[in-house]
Amino acid sequence: MKYKMTVLLACALLLSNGWARAADKNGDVLPRRFSDAMTWNLQNRVEDITITKVAVPSDSASRPKAVEKGKAPSLPDQVSQGSAARNVTENGVLEDQVFGSTGNDENALRITGASVTLKNVEIMKEEGTSSSTESGDFYGMNAALLATGGAQVTVEDSAVHSAALNGNGLFSYGKGTMISAKNVTITTEGSHSGGLQTTGGALTEAENVTVSTAGNSSAAIRSDRGGGTVLVKGGTFRTEGYGSPAVYSTARISIEGADLSASRSEGAVIEGKNSIALKNCRMEGNMAETRLMGGETIKEENVHTVMIYQSMSGDAEEGTSAFSMEGGSLLSHKGDVFYVTNTDCTIQLDNVKIQNEDPEGALLRVSGNSGSRGWGKAGANGGRARFTVQNQQMEGNILVDSISRLSMTLGKNSRWDGALLQETNDQGRDNDAGADLTIEKGATWNMTRDSTVYTLHNEGKIVTNGYTLTVLKK
């Protein structure tokens, strides 16, 4: 009877006020097992539940169109986050408890505008899907844990599991919101289900966190529209799905001392005016040449381990991307190590052990793309890269096409075995295309093929090995 009364009240409120969510009152006792969690949700007394409004997407919700060039993307006026099995709105500490959800568009646990510490808890999003992938990706709908509204959430010695489609693990949304995770294990099974997700200008901090994702489009460390800041120290981050890099950045992401690997995807992707900084990390990528997208099998535009691009979807502001790596190792199983297209970027390497297992793959490719995925217009979507290395040993060719530009500095204590090659882009030509090469004192370029540069500034050593070096501008 209590359950019927609860349902009737909830339905009435839905009709009069739109979608509703429950916010727990101080003093509620949480269940200690998932089965008890479901019982608590159904049997808690009506008078112990406070109803507050939350927006829901219309059935026709769709991803906003691309922004004008040079403008920052703006978030839609309506933030759609669905409901929550439990919504905590008051400061406190919650220990030794289980939070569960099997509902659609529902968080297992949501913290709204409160400072909350979670210790030795389990957060279980066992079932339920998202009615809007965009709301799940941008705002945290259907995530296991959502922190929003300026919440300050600390999660320690805990486990998070999501078996739901579009069910991210820990989701930090909005300016002023922060999640700090320490000694936490996160597993997700569904597609569009990242481990750590940061959007809308939020902050995520993680120390000694282990993330494993199985679905497609499910980066272990993930950000989306509105970006934010992500700081990671230690931990292990692995993905199994297609289109699921270990790290996908539309934010400022810094990672130190972590193990990052993707079994069917890139190791890292940066979109637009955002960054990834790695220090003493091990990164591994194994991107597949084909994958399912929209029910069809597509051939990837390029195969690589680190991709830097601008998608034009509006998810990331246009500008200069930045990738840096100091120490550690970078293992590329297939294709190119670095691929830059339709964006400006900087790439900085310092004492990184690089291994490319694909003999046909380039060390760096800076080029346009077909435009079939919306990454600019074919013939006018080249890349522009500033590639700077020091204390670095590298092997492999560097390719620049006829609509792209590279400025490369081979810094002190560095050696590069490879060739600098120009490729023709059949869709167009840019008079500013080409490669500028600076070799600093104490650096060596060991040529492995005939090479062409636009300008050359050499204070180091070039070993031609009988090959021809063409300098277009003396």
Side-chain angles (χ1 to χ4, degrees):
M1 185 62 181
K2 292 176 181 177
Y3 174 59
K4 292 181 179 178
M5 293 286 290
T6 304
V7 172
L8 288 172
L9 175 60
C11 291
L13 287 167
L14 281 169
L15 291 172
S16 59
N17 295 323
W19 194 265
R21 68 183 178 194
D24 293 319
K25 296 176 67 176
N26 192 32
D28 283 341
V29 179
L30 287 176
R32 295 184 179 274
R33 300 188 307 277
F34 181 69
S35 58
D36 289 342
M38 298 311 298
T39 303
W40 183 88
N41 287 336
L42 296 178
Q43 295 184 352
N44 200 41
R45 294 176 301 165
V46 172
E47 56 268 30
D48 288 340
I49 298 176
T50 301
I51 302 298
T52 56
K53 293 181 180 178
V54 67
V56 296
S58 66
D59 293 338
S60 60
S62 60
R63 184 180 291 264
K65 296 181 180 179
V67 295
E68 293 181 38
K69 187 172 183 179
K71 291 188 177 181
S74 59
L75 296 172
D77 293 335
Q78 187 177 16
V79 175
S80 304
Q81 294 178 317
S83 60
R86 175 142 190 211
N87 183 22
V88 178
T89 58
E90 297 185 9
N91 300 345
V93 177
L94 302 173
E95 298 184 70
D96 304 317
Q97 298 175 21
V98 176
F99 305 90
S101 167
T102 59
N104 295 334
D105 296 341
E106 182 181 69
N107 305 128
L109 175 64
R110 182 181 301 178
I111 313 295
T112 304
S115 179
V116 175
T117 297
L118 304 168
K119 293 184 178 181
N120 194 31
V121 302
E122 292 183 49
I123 305 173
M124 314 291 284
K125 177 63 181 173
E126 296 291 356
E127 295 179 12
T129 188
S130 170
S131 61
S132 166
T133 301
E134 288 76 18
S135 293
D137 288 349
F138 298 165
Y139 310 122
M141 176 187 285
N142 215 49
L145 169 65
L146 170 63
T148 188
Q152 306 291 296
V153 181
T154 299
V155 189
E156 298 178 351
D157 305 315
S158 297
V160 179
H161 177 72
S162 171
L165 179 65
N166 205 196
N168 291 283
L170 297 183
F171 199 117
S172 184
Y173 169 74
K175 292 181 179 179
T177 298
M178 181 196 74
I179 290 180
S180 177
K182 185 175 182 180
N183 302 327
V184 176
T185 298
I186 303 170
T187 56
T188 70
E189 298 178 21
S191 294
H192 293 276
S193 300
L196 300 173
Q197 175 80 316
T198 308
T199 68
L203 168 64
T204 299
E205 297 178 345
E207 182 177 352
N208 193 31
V209 169
T210 298
V211 174
S212 177
T213 72
N216 298 335
S217 301
S218 298
I221 300 171
R222 190 180 186 212
S223 60
D224 213 309
R225 184 158 297 187
T229 301
V230 182
L231 306 173
V232 176
K233 186 173 183 179
T236 302
F237 303 84
R238 303 190 186 283
T239 69
E240 296 291 335
Y242 297 95
S244 299
V247 186
Y248 190 100
S249 177
T250 61
R252 295 174 299 279
I253 299 179
S254 297
I255 306 172
E256 182 176 355
D259 191 329
L260 308 154
S261 64
S263 65
R264 294 179 176 86
S265 185
E266 304 99 329
V269 175
I270 303 174
E271 182 179 351
K273 191 179 178 181
N274 296 293
S275 62
I276 294 175
L278 306 178
K279 184 175 182 179
N280 298 326
C281 292
R282 188 190 82 87
M283 174 169 281
E284 179 180 0
N286 189 28
M287 185 177 178
E289 295 182 6
T290 61
R291 66 180 169 114
L292 272 175
M293 179 176 288
E296 297 182 1
T297 299
I298 65 164
K299 185 177 181 357
E300 294 288 6
E301 183 77 31
N302 192 68
V303 178
H304 43 265
T305 289
V306 177
M307 178 183 184
I308 306 174
Y309 81 124
Q310 174 61 256
S311 73
M312 309 305 293
S313 68
D315 293 344
E317 182 179 355
E318 291 185 54
T320 301
S321 310
F323 178 91
S324 66
M325 192 168 184
E326 179 182 352
S329 63
L330 179 57
L331 173 58
S332 179
H333 289 286
K334 295 178 182 178
D336 306 327
V337 180
F338 293 96
Y339 172 56
V340 178
T341 189
N342 196 42
T343 196
D344 294 1
C345 77
T346 63
I347 300 172
Q348 295 178 305
L349 303 177
D350 186 344
N351 194 30
V352 179
K353 182 180 179 181
I354 301 174
Q355 180 180 354
N356 189 357
E357 295 184 340
D358 188 342
E360 302 299 321
L363 172 63
L364 168 64
R365 184 182 303 272
V366 187
S367 68
N369 63 83
S370 68
S372 62
R373 302 276 290 275
W375 306 342
K377 183 180 178 181
N381 56 7
R384 301 182 72 89
R386 291 186 296 280
F387 183 42
T388 304
V389 304
Q390 63 179 6
N391 307 311
Q392 190 64 51
Q393 305 297 307
M394 306 185 301
E395 296 181 359
N397 296 332
I398 295 175
L399 292 85
V400 183
D401 79 355
S402 56
I403 60 171
S404 300
R405 186 83 181 192
L406 170 67
S407 176
M408 177 179 174
T409 299
L410 191 63
K412 62 182 181 179
N413 302 320
S414 295
R415 176 188 169 106
W416 169 40
D417 295 350
L420 216 165
L421 308 175
Q422 291 192 334
E423 289 189 330
T424 299
N425 187 309
D426 294 335
Q427 300 297 317
R429 182 173 182 81
D430 188 334
N431 292 331
D432 194 36
D436 301 306
L437 176 61
T438 296
I439 303 175
E440 295 183 345
K441 186 177 180 179
T444 299
W445 177 18
N446 185 44
M447 292 175 57
T448 58
R449 286 179 60 180
D450 292 345
S451 298
T452 301
V453 298
Y454 186 70
T455 64
L456 175 66
H457 180 69
N458 180 31
E459 295 182 352
K461 183 179 181 181
I462 300 176
V463 181
T464 62
N465 295 312
Y467 295 109
T468 300
L469 173 59
T470 302
V471 181
L472 298 177
K473 184 177 181 181
K474 306 296 184 181

